[in-house]
């Protein structure tokens, strides 16, 4: 299951004796401490508990597995189950070959060491003092991951900025232009530069400063170099993958391509997603869906929340016949209005479900909410799941899912999910299963859609490493605006998609600010699962459920419609960015540090991001009317006014409530579409193409059927737009021969 391991040369130091002696030895290990420590006299000669070994990585432990990607094996035998053993897609090796070549591993191997103790294995990797570390998943309370303890443990909510999240990912990147992936499904602990090996005591001598303040007592220890410590227990051996840059962004691209390349949404997936109130009946849904169409609110996907099922918590995976007497007729009606349908579920299977009996032998040994936890690591559970879901959902035309509650509650006194001590028929324990559960669940749900040659753009509440090829976006129950925004900035470091959502709001202004953020997310999501009316008709939850329109509903409808239309105008541009994600691993939405890693000002910016290749977005917090925006070096154009500005500086912009600060990088070509209310097989976007400054590079649009997987077989066209002598020209090529997706209306120079 695992990639093969090369033999390891151990620098063996066996300490037979007390754990105390072992600890003394462990403390002495590290890149600069190769001399064997003294061996303490054993307290109890029979006590072998404290045995430990350690080693320094040698050339023999390293294999360059792909261009610019090295595997290092440390310690003894790796665990049989790791994320790589359940990867979702093969590596895109040919695309890796197109990235800038890097011949030498970016970290010196003799500076990497490991220690094996009764606890498990730990690895020390070198860092420099100025280095910034990013990634490790989606704890939306932290951006810069340097000098922390970060635990890669799935969780339904963040906790104390310790990295618990819906997507803890054991991959980090450095602004020095490399990435590190630790192939483990254990809850790995990363100390990102804030531990000091005893071996560095020499360097410390004479540097200690007297603390002049209480805060000074806790200042980090000044050292010339730093150490990254990765602590994985109870594993005895590990594979670690080092990804070359040369820049941080290239390291992320390599990691995404190693994972299989970025996921490809269907075109409709990039439109607006609306989720209705949980307990709505078929008639209520159809009425509201009609209203959205009548009011010309763009919308491409309707999400069914729990009420479509006859029983939830745990789930029956059967239609509720009181609310949906004729599911087939309901689906037909909704689809005839050009909505795609997405259905909510969680995996815990009720005793009343037809899946209960067949799944019983293929589930974990603990119930969750009284339901079975399917073992998606077994082919049997997958098959049972797939067949049933194909029958009740996909064969009927549902083409999206929302996989809820598949995370964990690691620090709650009353968790509801399965315990870490669980065992599963596949041999996975509860800890491994918690880490992998979201991804295994996504893979299982994807299979029937793939068989039907359909793409999806779905939702999941837990994912992990190597997730880039999975067409699922991660959401959360949290509702903090800044965390939502930070997540949008941060997602790109870890090969995952983060989706903030709009629900209720305290004020109409807050509603606008929230919509202004979600239209720039990988999925533009309005999640009204606890509100009968859309928030542009009523922002207050209780009044929404009483059916009361708010006084400002007409104006709010107009403003929100305009924002949705902005999203629709950007779809061809965004679709192009997603194709770059698929083909080159380039994240479509990125924090500034990813494009300007050498500009120190970008290192901590967690509230502005690049949307596609050229648009910088700086959303405004609810309640604010002005904000500071950093424009990196070069020239920029205000998206709305086309005013040209100098970069390399902070500016303060006025942001009245209907304005989103957006700036276009000089030298860019931006196609903008006439907004459409939804996307069908025939939709042809009418484009006006703008050139900002003097574009030297072209932009490529991608044309295909928008829904099937045929693009993988080459049924896709590229439309390369170049700019010369003040106007654009388009070169079309490729093997797609369906209805054209783009018509060019006009070309403008700005
Ligand atoms: C939550 C989920 C919400 C909504 C709700 C329905 O777990 O995060 O988005 O789906 O369940 O019960």
């Amino acid at each position: 299951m695992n990639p093969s391991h090369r033999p390891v040369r151990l620098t063996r130091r066996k300490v037979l004796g007390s754990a105390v002696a072992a600890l003394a030895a462990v403390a002495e290990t590290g890149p600069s401490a190769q001399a064997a420590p003294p061996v303490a006299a054993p307290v109890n000669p029979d006590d072998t508990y404290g045995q430990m070994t350690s080693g320094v990585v040698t050339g023999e432990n390293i294999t360059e597995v792909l261009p610019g990607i090295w595997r290092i094996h440390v310690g003894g035998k790796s665990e049989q189950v790791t994320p790589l053993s359940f990867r979702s897609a093969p590596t895109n090796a040919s695309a890796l070959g197109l990235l800038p070549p890097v011949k030498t591993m970016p970290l010196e191997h003799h500076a990497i060491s490991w220690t094996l103790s009764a606890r498990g294995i730990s690895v020390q990797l070198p860092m420099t003092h100025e280095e910034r570390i990013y990634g490790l998943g989606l704890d939306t309370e932290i951006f810069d991951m340097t000098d922390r303890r970060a635990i890669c443990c799935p969780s339904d909510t963040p906790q104390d900025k310790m990295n618990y999240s819906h997507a803890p990912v054991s991959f980090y990147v450095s602004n020095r232009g490399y990435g590190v992936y630790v192939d483990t499904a254990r809850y790995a602990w990363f100390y990102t530069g804030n531990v000091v090996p005893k071996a560095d005591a020499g360097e410390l001598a004479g540097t200690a400063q007297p603390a002049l303040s209480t805060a000074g007592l806790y200042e980090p220890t000044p050292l010339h170099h730093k150490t990254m410590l990765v602590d994985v227990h109870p594993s005895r051996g590990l594979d670690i993958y080092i990804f070359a840059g040369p820049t941080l962004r290239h390291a992320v691209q390599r990691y995404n391509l190693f994972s299989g390349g970025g996921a490809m949404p269907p075109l409709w997936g990039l439109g607006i997603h609306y989720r209705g109130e949980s307990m709505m009946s078929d008639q209520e849904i159809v009425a509201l869906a009609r209203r959205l169409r009548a009011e010309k609110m763009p919308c491409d996907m309707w999400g069914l929340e729990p009420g479509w099922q006859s029983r939830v918590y745990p789930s029956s995976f059967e239609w509720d016949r009181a609310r949906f007497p004729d599911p087939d007729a309901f689906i037909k009606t909704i689809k005839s209005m050009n909505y795609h349908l997405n259905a909510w579920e969680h995996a815990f299977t009720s005793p009343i479900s037809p899946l209960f009996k067949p799944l019983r032998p293929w589930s974990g040994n603990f119930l969750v909410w009284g339901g079975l936890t399917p073992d998606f690591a077994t082919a049997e559970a997958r098959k049972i799941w797939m067949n049933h879901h194909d029958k009740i959902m996909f064969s009927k035309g549902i083409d999206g899912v929302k996989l809820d509650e598949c995370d964990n509650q690691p620090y709650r006194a009353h968790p509801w999910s399965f315990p870490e001590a669980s065992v599963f028929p596949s041999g996975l324990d509860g800890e491994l299963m918690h880490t992998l559960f979201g991804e295994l669940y996504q893979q299982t749900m994807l299979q029937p859609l793939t068989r039907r040659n359909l793409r999806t753009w779905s939702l999941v509440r837990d994912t992990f490493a190597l997730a880039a090829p999975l067409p699922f976006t991660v959401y959360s129950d949290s509702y903090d605006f800044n965390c939502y925004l930070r997540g949008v900035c941060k997602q790109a470091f870890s090969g995952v998609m983060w989706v903030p959502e709009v629900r209720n709001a305290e004020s109409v202004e807050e509603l606008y600010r929230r919509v202004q953020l979600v239209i720039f997310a990988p999925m533009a999501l309005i999640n009204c699962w606890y509100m009968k009316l859309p928030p542009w008709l009523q922002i207050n939850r209780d009044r929404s459920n009483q059916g009361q329109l708010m006084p400002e509903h007409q104006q709010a409808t107009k403003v929100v419609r305009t924002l949705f239309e902005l999203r629709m105008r950007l779809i061809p541009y965004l679709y192009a960015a997603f194709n770059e994600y698929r083909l080159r691993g380039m994240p479509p939405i990125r924090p500034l540090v990813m494009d300007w890693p050498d500009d120190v000002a970008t290192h901590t910016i967690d509230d502005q991001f690049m949307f596609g290749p050229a648009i910088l977005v700086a959303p405004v917090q609810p309640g604010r009317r002005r904000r500071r925006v950093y424009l990196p070096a070069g020239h920029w154009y205000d998206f709305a006014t086309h005013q040209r500005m100098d970069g390399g500086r902070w500016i303060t912009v006025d942001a009245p409530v209907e304005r989103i600060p957006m700036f276009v990088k000089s030298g860019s070509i931006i196609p903008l579409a006439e907004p459409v209310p939804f996307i069908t097989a025939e939709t042809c976007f009418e484009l006006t193409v703008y050139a900002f400054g003097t574009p030297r590079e072209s932009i490529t649009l991608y044309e295909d059927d928008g829904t099937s997987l045929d693009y993988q077989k080459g049924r896709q066209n590229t439309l390369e737009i170049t700019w010369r002598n003040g106007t654009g020209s388009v070169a079309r090529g490729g093997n797609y021969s369906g209805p054209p997706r783009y018509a060019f209306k006009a070309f403008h120079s700005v």
Side-chain angles (χ1 to χ4, degrees):
M1 293 225 270
N2 267 342
S4 62
H5 301 136
R6 310 192 94 228
V8 190
R9 207 176 72 206
L10 306 180
T11 314
R12 219 176 166 85
R13 273 186 242 138
K14 221 172 197 187
V15 182
L16 287 177
S18 70
V20 176
L23 281 176
V26 170
E28 196 68 27
T29 59
S32 42
Q34 303 317 317
V39 178
V43 174
N44 172 0
D46 295 330
D47 175 12
T48 54
Y49 177 74
Q51 275 192 10
M52 77 88 167
T53 50
S54 65
V56 172
V57 168
T58 69
E60 283 174 41
N61 309 138
I62 304 172
T63 318
E64 186 172 2
V65 283
L66 288 154
I69 305 177
W70 291 265
R71 182 178 65 229
I72 301 178
H73 181 75
V74 290
K77 202 161 177 274
S78 299
E79 290 205 54
Q80 222 194 348
V81 170
T82 70
L84 260 179
S85 49
F86 286 106
R87 58 181 312 151
S88 304
T91 288
N92 185 342
S94 54
L96 275 169
L98 301 175
L99 290 176
V102 179
K103 289 276 166 263
T104 40
M105 195 168 84
L107 294 176
E108 286 193 32
H109 66 74
H110 54 74
I112 305 174
S113 65
W114 52 272
T115 300
L116 196 50
S117 73
R119 175 180 167 85
I121 186 153
S122 67
V123 187
Q124 294 182 31
L125 300 112
M127 283 173 62
T128 64
H129 200 61
E130 304 71 36
E131 185 163 358
R132 308 316 301 170
I133 299 295
Y134 302 97
L136 295 173
L138 270 183
D139 184 338
T140 56
E141 291 184 341
I142 358 162
F143 181 74
D144 179 349
M145 299 300 296
T146 322
D147 292 338
R148 304 188 155 271
R149 176 165 65 181
I151 303 176
C152 277
C153 173
S155 169
D156 63 334
T157 26
Q159 171 80 356
D160 296 338
K161 302 189 177 175
M162 295 265 283
N163 202 50
Y164 294 94
S165 84
H166 296 287
V169 176
S170 53
F171 170 71
Y172 65 85
V173 275
S174 156
N175 67 324
R176 285 176 57 222
Y178 69 90
V180 175
Y181 164 59
V182 180
D183 187 33
T184 178
R186 293 290 167 200
Y187 302 161
W189 294 26
F190 291 78
Y191 295 79
T192 58
N194 56 348
V195 288
V196 183
K198 192 165 96 180
D200 292 338
E203 192 190 319
L204 278 176
T207 61
Q209 300 286 326
L212 299 176
S213 62
T214 313
L217 291 171
Y218 305 102
E219 287 282 302
T221 315
L223 286 172
H224 297 306
H225 69 267
K226 286 176 139 189
T227 298
M228 165 75 69
L229 176 69
V230 187
D231 166 17
V232 184
H233 42 270
S235 308
R236 314 301 298 163
L238 277 180
D239 282 338
I240 293 180
Y241 290 78
I242 312 283
F243 295 82
T247 69
L248 181 155
R249 200 194 74 207
H250 290 112
V252 167
Q253 284 179 262
R254 268 183 229 275
Y255 168 73
N256 287 340
L257 293 171
F258 175 75
S259 309
M264 196 53 219
L267 261 174
W268 58 263
L270 299 179
I272 308 294
H273 291 225
Y274 185 88
R275 306 196 69 84
E277 196 266 340
S278 287
M279 294 300 151
M280 278 173 130
S281 68
D282 55 358
Q283 290 185 11
E284 288 173 307
I285 294 174
V286 169
L288 187 51
R290 284 210 173 104
R291 180 171 191 161
L292 260 57
R293 289 287 179 251
E295 291 178 351
K296 302 212 170 348
M297 297 304 281
C299 187
D300 270 283
M301 190 211 70
W302 191 279
L304 300 172
E305 283 289 316
W308 73 271
Q309 290 185 55
S310 58
R311 183 77 63 86
V312 285
Y313 298 89
S315 300
S316 64
F317 310 108
E318 292 272 79
W319 288 87
D320 181 273
R321 294 295 172 154
R323 282 183 290 270
F324 296 86
D326 186 350
D328 291 355
F330 162 73
I331 294 173
K332 214 167 142 209
T333 311
I334 283 286
K335 292 192 78 95
S336 71
M337 289 188 270
N338 294 298
Y339 288 99
H340 290 262
L341 259 183
N342 172 301
W344 175 101
E345 66 166 49
H346 64 61
F348 309 110
T349 307
S350 164
I352 68 151
S353 168
L355 289 182
F356 190 85
K357 205 164 152 230
L359 269 182
R360 204 175 171 141
W362 306 110
S363 52
N365 62 338
F366 286 93
L367 300 179
V368 178
W369 287 305
L372 299 174
T373 306
D375 184 350
F376 292 128
T378 63
E380 290 81 358
R382 284 192 185 211
K383 197 165 160 213
I384 295 164
W385 202 264
M386 254 165 50
N387 289 345
H388 181 75
H389 281 78
D390 197 48
K391 192 171 96 202
I392 58 157
M393 288 183 176
F394 307 127
S395 66
K396 296 184 183 299
I398 290 179
D399 48 10
V401 284
K402 172 172 172 181
L403 308 181
D404 205 19
E405 312 287 9
C406 47
D407 40 37
N408 183 18
Q409 305 80 43
Y411 51 82
R412 278 184 205 255
H414 302 284
W416 53 82
S417 203
F418 51 89
E420 269 73 359
S422 303
V423 289
F424 286 82
S426 57
L428 268 68
D429 60 42
E431 179 181 354
L432 296 172
M433 187 56 99
H434 270 305
T435 299
L436 297 172
F437 197 58
E439 277 185 35
L440 297 175
Y441 194 6
Q442 292 170 67
Q443 290 170 2
T444 306
M445 282 304 221
L446 209 50
Q447 261 171 291
L449 286 163
T450 306
R451 277 200 200 150
R452 291 182 174 277
N453 192 25
L454 283 177
R455 288 184 235 172
T456 185
W457 202 229
S458 285
L459 289 150
V460 70
R461 223 176 66 181
D462 179 66
T463 202
F464 188 64
L466 311 172
L470 291 166
F472 284 78
T473 57
V474 179
Y475 66 96
S476 165
D477 276 342
S478 62
Y479 207 48
D480 181 272
F481 181 88
N482 292 331
C483 286
Y484 269 5
L485 171 53
R486 195 174 294 115
V488 172
C489 297
K490 182 172 168 166
Q491 57 187 336
F493 293 129
S494 303
V496 291
M497 294 282 140
W498 168 251
V499 177
E501 54 192 47
V502 179
R503 304 197 284 263
N504 53 324
E506 292 294 315
S507 64
V508 177
E509 175 173 342
E510 181 193 326
L511 167 72
Y512 296 165
R513 294 306 194 196
R514 286 186 178 277
V515 178
Q516 287 170 2
L517 173 59
V518 302
I519 57 168
F520 294 102
M523 178 191 278
L525 178 62
I526 311 295
N527 184 11
C528 290
W529 70 273
Y530 54 67
M531 292 162 66
K532 288 227 183 241
L533 293 173
W536 53 89
L537 297 182
Q538 177 54 264
I539 53 172
N540 177 278
R541 177 179 179 160
D542 294 335
R543 286 195 278 273
S544 177
N545 290 330
Q546 289 152 16
Q548 287 177 28
L549 300 180
M550 62 182 178
E552 314 86 327
H553 74 271
Q554 276 172 338
Q555 173 65 7
T557 302
K558 203 169 125 216
V559 173
V560 173
R561 186 192 299 119
T562 308
L563 292 170
F564 285 180
E565 285 176 352
L566 174 58
R567 169 73 174 207
M568 301 310 282
R569 295 175 74 199
L570 288 162
I571 283 187
Y573 168 82
L574 186 57
Y575 195 58
F578 268 102
N579 273 283
E580 296 296 313
Y581 185 40
R582 170 173 75 94
L583 295 166
R584 276 170 271 284
M586 167 73 102
I589 301 162
R590 304 172 304 287
L592 267 46
V593 65
M594 203 167 267
D595 290 16
W596 291 274
D598 297 330
D599 181 346
V600 181
T602 66
H603 289 186
T604 49
I605 296 180
D606 60 357
D607 61 355
Q608 297 176 215
F609 52 86
M610 292 304 292
F611 183 78
I615 303 177
L616 185 154
V617 186
V620 180
Q621 259 182 32
R624 296 266 172 90
R625 298 289 172 103
R626 277 162 85 79
R627 71 156 287 171
R628 289 181 81 221
V629 177
Y630 184 70
L631 297 178
H635 297 291
W636 295 84
Y637 291 83
D638 186 300
F639 182 84
T641 63
H642 292 180
Q643 187 197 339
R644 188 170 183 266
M645 298 170 171
D646 293 334
R649 64 191 179 118
W650 287 93
I651 57 169
T652 300
V653 292
D654 284 327
V657 71
E658 288 170 29
R659 172 159 188 229
I660 315 165
M662 287 168 71
F663 303 89
V664 181
K665 206 163 62 171
S666 179
S668 312
I669 300 172
I670 310 275
L672 288 181
E674 284 303 307
V676 289
F678 49 82
I679 298 160
T680 69
E682 281 76 41
T683 299
C684 178
F685 292 98
E686 276 187 42
L687 299 179
T688 303
V689 184
Y690 295 87
F692 292 84
T694 317
R696 275 184 250 289
E697 285 178 21
S698 57
I699 184 171
T700 301
L701 296 183
Y702 293 81
E703 182 176 59
D704 53 32
D705 65 24
T707 51
S708 83
L709 301 168
D710 287 356
Y711 67 87
Q712 291 172 351
K713 299 178 207 129
R715 277 185 218 120
Q716 189 177 56
N717 294 339
T718 52
L719 282 78
E720 194 181 353
I721 311 177
T722 38
W723 209 267
R724 237 166 257 122
N725 306 326
T727 191
S729 57
V730 184
R732 203 188 223 109
N735 291 323
Y736 166 74
S737 53
R741 288 268 161 241
Y742 308 110
F744 292 87
K745 244 174 63 176
F747 295 89
H748 292 302
S749 285
V750 175

